[in-house]
Amino acid sequence: MMKKTSPVEALLWSIALPGFGQLLNKQYLKGITLIILEFVINLGSNLNTIIMDSFQGDTLAAVRHTNYQWLLFYPCVYMFGIWDGFKDAGGGRSSPYSTFPFVFCAFFGTTGMFYSDRFRFMDILPGPVWLPMAAAFLGVGFGFLLKAALDRRLIPRPDTAERPPS
């Protein structure tokens, strides 16, 4: 009998490429669909070129090469693939809010992309790779904080459960 994929393993493979976590979870149609979406969005948005421009410090060239009509799909498809692989491997069952870090990462990343051609920090243009990535990390943090706050509020802890009167 084959060992079940761990949620962390599925999450890490999904970070490497959306669809890999689904393939590990034996959800072949979903995995292949996500891999195809990844390649179509990557080609349509010129993602590899803008990553190369950004890593070489030429964010103006990255902005010029970016097809935002395609790239705006990327954060949501990417985070859906990560969340879905994680969830289907059994992750996140301890909280009804386990999806929050993934959802807010996609939302903040997409919002960062909206402003990536004009937002400057200390007169530096982060561009269409670095600003959405920074915003996505903020989204993950915000999602974890919101999840923790709601878990504490709605899931009673044993030390605060009502005790019978003495």
Side-chain angles (χ1 to χ4, degrees):
M1 186 168 127
M2 289 188 60
K3 187 180 123 193
K4 185 168 170 49
T5 305
S6 81
V8 172
E9 182 181 13
L11 181 129
L12 292 173
W13 276 109
S14 294
I15 288 171
L17 188 72
F20 279 10
Q22 287 73 15
L23 295 178
L24 278 173
N25 293 332
K26 297 181 177 40
Q27 295 180 329
Y28 301 113
L29 181 61
K30 197 186 305 183
I32 290 169
T33 301
L34 283 167
I35 290 169
I36 290 170
L37 280 171
E38 156 72 27
F39 280 100
V40 168
I41 294 169
N42 186 310
L43 291 172
S45 67
N46 303 316
L47 185 58
N48 288 344
T49 301
I50 66 172
I51 289 172
M52 195 166 58
D53 290 339
S54 295
F55 270 77
Q56 293 173 348
D58 194 354
T59 54
L60 287 175
V63 168
R64 276 194 314 274
H65 291 133
T66 301
N67 182 335
Y68 286 93
Q69 297 296 323
W70 279 101
L71 192 58
L72 286 169
F73 286 107
Y74 196 78
C76 292
V77 169
Y78 189 71
M79 290 314 299
F80 173 79
I82 295 169
W83 168 77
D84 185 71
F86 175 72
K87 176 191 62 77
D88 286 343
R93 294 210 172 130
S94 63
S95 168
Y97 309 107
S98 62
T99 188
F100 282 15
F102 301 95
V103 170
F104 284 102
C105 179
F107 175 73
F108 279 50
T110 302
T111 303
M113 202 156 316
F114 287 138
Y115 297 100
S116 66
D117 64 339
R118 62 186 61 118
F119 176 83
R120 292 180 178 274
F121 179 73
M122 295 174 53
D123 208 34
I124 296 171
L125 178 71
V129 170
W130 302 118
L131 184 61
M133 281 177 56
F137 281 113
L138 289 174
V140 169
F142 179 79
F144 273 118
L145 288 173
L146 185 58
K147 175 193 169 302
L150 290 172
D151 282 344
R152 269 195 308 277
R153 183 168 178 234
L154 299 174
I155 299 173
R157 293 181 299 185
D159 63 326
T160 61
E162 287 192 32
R163 296 185 184 117
S166 20

